[in-house]
Amino acid sequence: MRTPATPPGPFQVPEVRPAAAAADRLLVEGGLTPSELRTAANRGVAKLFPAHVGGTQHLKSLLAVLPGARVMATGGVTVDNAADWLAAGAFSVSVGSHLYRDDDVAGGVARLRARLDAGTG
């Protein structure tokens, strides 16, 4: 039985790095532990997944031992809590399935943008 190729995701995918580099494409690897995120952040932006498991306190703790790391919070980030992740030090956030479950995606994006602009989270 053939093993499927490992897709890019919230983990390390060293076999994909050369192709991403050759195509001049961003590859965002990640993980949950300090070691995984350090490895990913050394190549650019690291994806913290699933972010909701440890919450914003976990992110703050990670950034304390990985100063200067650019970490994107992914997994459990919603329109309602995205500003909290950014305030905790996330370089960026990824609002995925929570936003797509909204019947009004454009409205969800507009609400998120308004909260971030107002600084009210």
Side-chain angles (χ1 to χ4, degrees):
M1 177 176 203
R2 196 176 91 127
T3 303
T6 303
F11 39 79
Q12 306 300 306
V13 285
E15 67 276 15
V16 177
R17 292 177 198 146
D24 195 28
R25 298 289 184 235
L26 175 66
L27 173 63
V28 180
E29 297 175 284
L32 186 63
T33 68
S35 295
E36 292 167 335
L37 290 173
R38 178 178 164 223
T39 300
N42 283 341
R43 288 191 254 314
V45 178
K47 182 188 299 186
L48 172 61
F49 181 86
H52 72 278
V53 169
T56 57
Q57 284 304 119
H58 181 62
L59 174 62
K60 288 178 183 180
S61 296
L62 289 166
L63 293 174
V65 298
L66 300 170
R70 296 185 302 168
V71 177
M72 175 176 58
T74 305
V77 178
T78 67
V79 168
D80 294 325
N81 70 18
D84 296 335
W85 286 100
L86 294 169
F91 174 75
S92 65
V93 295
S94 172
V95 181
S97 60
H98 289 279
L99 180 61
Y100 291 118
R101 283 188 219 140
D102 192 334
D103 289 338
D104 178 18
V105 173
V109 170
R111 287 191 309 278
L112 174 57
R113 182 63 198 211
R115 287 184 182 132
L116 294 174
D117 288 345
T120 61

